[in-house]
Amino acid sequence: MKELTERIKKDGRVLNEDVLKVDRFLTHQVDPHLMAAIGTEFATLFADEGVTKVVTLESSGIAPTIFAAQAMNVPMIFARKTKSLTMNEELLTSSVYSFTKQQTNQISISKKFLNEDDRVLIIDDFLANGQAAKGLIELCQQAGASVVGVGIVIEKAFQPGHQLIVDMGVPVYSLARIKSLSENQVNFVEED
């Protein structure tokens, strides 16, 4: 997605060979016009999949996911990293290790929001090691829902997440694929 890659070039900051900071438009301050374009792109890519729910993990995945859900005219669900006092119903749960934060979170979604009739599109801001997407797929599978795909805003193609998700039998589509972050530069995978 050209608009996204241009924005990464302009406002992304390489912190080291593994970390790209995009807090100027995605992970802290959010550009709603770019998120709307991203949502429309995901809706177009997955238009033939019969998506009934779009799922993400709080918090940076919420902005692109809500725009995708709006464009698809389906509900958006976000998995919580902490259980609130009002979440007293039965929960679907999974453990997700965050390499960025160096911690494991128990993520959860109420069972009342997902079932075996759902066809789920999972969307997340980043794909690196694949643990967040894997945890979300596991939550959906616990509900008996079908995961029709994983949509990623920015993929670090030099890390193993893409293959992990494909090996789970779920197709992955990333809007921007980064080949490397070496020498303080963002190098993109050239698409055919």
Side-chain angles (χ1 to χ4, degrees), residues 58-79:
E58 70 176 342
S59 64
S60 297
I62 292 175
T65 305
I66 192 71
F67 281 101
Q70 180 183 37
M72 297 175 124
N73 198 30
V74 298
M76 184 273 279
I77 302 168
F78 64 90

Side-chain angles (χ1 to χ4, degrees), residues 159-177:
Q159 293 184 320
H162 186 105
Q163 192 61 49
L164 174 74
I165 303 311
V166 169
D167 288 347
M168 293 179 78
V170 178
V172 179
Y173 188 87
S174 302
L175 301 182
R177 298 186 73 222

